[in-house]
Amino acid sequence: MQSGLCHSSTLLAANNMSCSTTVAIGNSVFPPNSNSKSRNSQNRREVISLLQKCKHYQIPQIHAKIIRNGQDQDPFVVFELLRLCSNLKSIDYASKVFRRTQSPNVYLYTALIDGFVSSGYYLDAIRLYCQMVNEFIFPDKYAITSVLKACGFGLALEEGREVHAQALKLGLSSNRSIRMKLMGLYGKCGEFESARQVFDEMPEGDAVAATVMITCYAEYGLVEEASGVFDGLREKDTVCWTAMIDGLVKNGEMNRALEVFRDMQRKNVWPNEVTLVCVLSACSHLGALELGRWVCSYIDKNNIECNCIVGGALINMYSRCGDIDGAVEVFSRMKKRDVSTYNSMIEGLAMHGKSTMAIEMFREMMKRGLKPNSITFVKVLNACSHGGLVELGFEIFHSMTNSHGIQPQIEHYGCVVDLLARSGRIEEAYSFIERTKMAPDHIMLGALLSACKIHRNLELGERVAEMLVNCDDADSGTFALLSNVYAASGKWKEAARVRALTKEAGTPKEPGCSLIEVNNEIHEFLLGDIRHPQKENIYRKLEELNPVLKREGYSPATEVVLHDIGERQKEWALAIHSERLAICYGLISTKPCTTLRIVKNLRVCNDCHSMIKLIAKITKRKIIMRDRHRFHHFENGACSCGDYW
DNA sequence: TTAGGGTTAG
């Protein structure tokens, strides 16, 4: 939340302006002392009409005209001026105009409170409201609505409750807008009993009120409660459907989100651009390329503007679903691009191992006058890291402070550690961490540990492992990696200790899960999954493949399995990693030569990686797989990651 | 003669 006082900006010094002897508005000139009511109201109408058409840079000019006309105390004119400043985000100017108004009425207070809210100065808005009440100016329904908005965004629950009490006293509590803001206030503050009470007292069937409730519930992860409100509403409009879809997406319920979207279509409710952005986000997570492509053509056919948000969502969808060419095509067709557009494109290219193109994109962005932000540098440094561009990476890292005035944060340092470690300069990466004097996070240490494992530097690996065990923020993925490193060097006790630590910390290992889209439907597989209706055929395919793979020289790399179990059991456990099941299902349910696209939630293990390379070779298929870190394009026995991931 | 609705990416 932003708070505190507004920053100062230049304001036309009203007191220094002399009143002219003629009053000029637009092209008309009136003689002085012509105070007839009709002329005044004509002048006012003209100025108000000018204000309504005014651009940001014209504010001082038109304000000067208002002062010259002697209209700077006219509440109607000042009201329009304040609204204009607020809409154009000139809140400093607005507050100075307000301060020069001798006796502001409730309209002017409300206009400035609204201005503070839309600029994010919630505390200022609440203070101004208090000032108004202290001046014995009675709040009306508009003032109360505005200050409740401020209380909601500013999470000022106590102040909000006081305003609620005032609304009750003033007999305004049944006003629909006020109720809506009260729901928003209580919902944002997690006071669902109060929010629900206000909602239940409202007339049934109000889609807007239901949307507010759904959004509040979803923000707190209360998906079932949100769903309950949604299902209980008979007539749902586009925004309400969208809020439900978005709520599910934000809570990781992608399949349910797409189900709701399909239901929306069955009920003939038209999606708008916001709906489509939410659906695209679900597609991105699931790797649902077919549906994503459908959304893309829907946008084209229905002339929906491909603005930066829609375009960015499309780029993310294509690149995260494994179709980087599709992402590039969307990017090149976009008429307007901002930093986020470039960030998405750079990220996509980097994830697909196209580091040089990612760097070119970064340069093109700067050539076009767009300033890279902190996120841009994370993406570009990642590209350098995946492409082994160590020197260039360093150059870009240093340019952050030297040329762009951006202070590197822990994620940037993490990128440099990854950059060095990946290329085998592990000791250098370690001393870089020491030099930064910043407590390393689990991502940084994880990158280093991963490199220790790949470059077989177990001595340093152990030192890093100790640091990781003592690291507060390590997640299940990092612990799994650590446990893997111990298991790989036969240190079963340590491996077990890490597993126990993970349990203690309440971060059990996330179960491996792979998704594949076939005929517009997402199929989900877990380790050794037997839920799929085609399970017999899937496992038969797996058995069929095993001897062929062995003939091709595949031998299971059993050390990647964590538990200290017998060789045959290890082999068996490896054989049913979720990605293998997804691939076998893809093989039996698509035509020969069809590219298979898999999305996996964890990092692919060594063994599956070698096996998939061979499957791609034997079956003459392209297999594109997204794991937790990047994309792997398997083709003809090789992988685009160059066996480093 | 002054004003008000809920849903979007990174």
Side-chain angles (χ1 to χ4, degrees), chain A residues 342-362:
Chain A
Y342 276 90
N343 288 354
S344 295
M345 199 61 254
I346 294 168
E347 177 193 288
L349 291 166
M351 266 200 308
H352 284 270
K354 296 180 182 294
S355 306
T356 318
M357 276 177 79
I359 307 290
E360 274 169 21
M361 200 53 86
F362 172 62

Side-chain angles (χ1 to χ4, degrees), chain A residues 459-471:
Chain A
E459 187 269 319
L460 183 58
E462 291 210 359
R463 260 190 284 159
V464 177
E466 273 314 305
M467 289 164 82
L468 252 176
V469 170
N470 299 320
C471 189

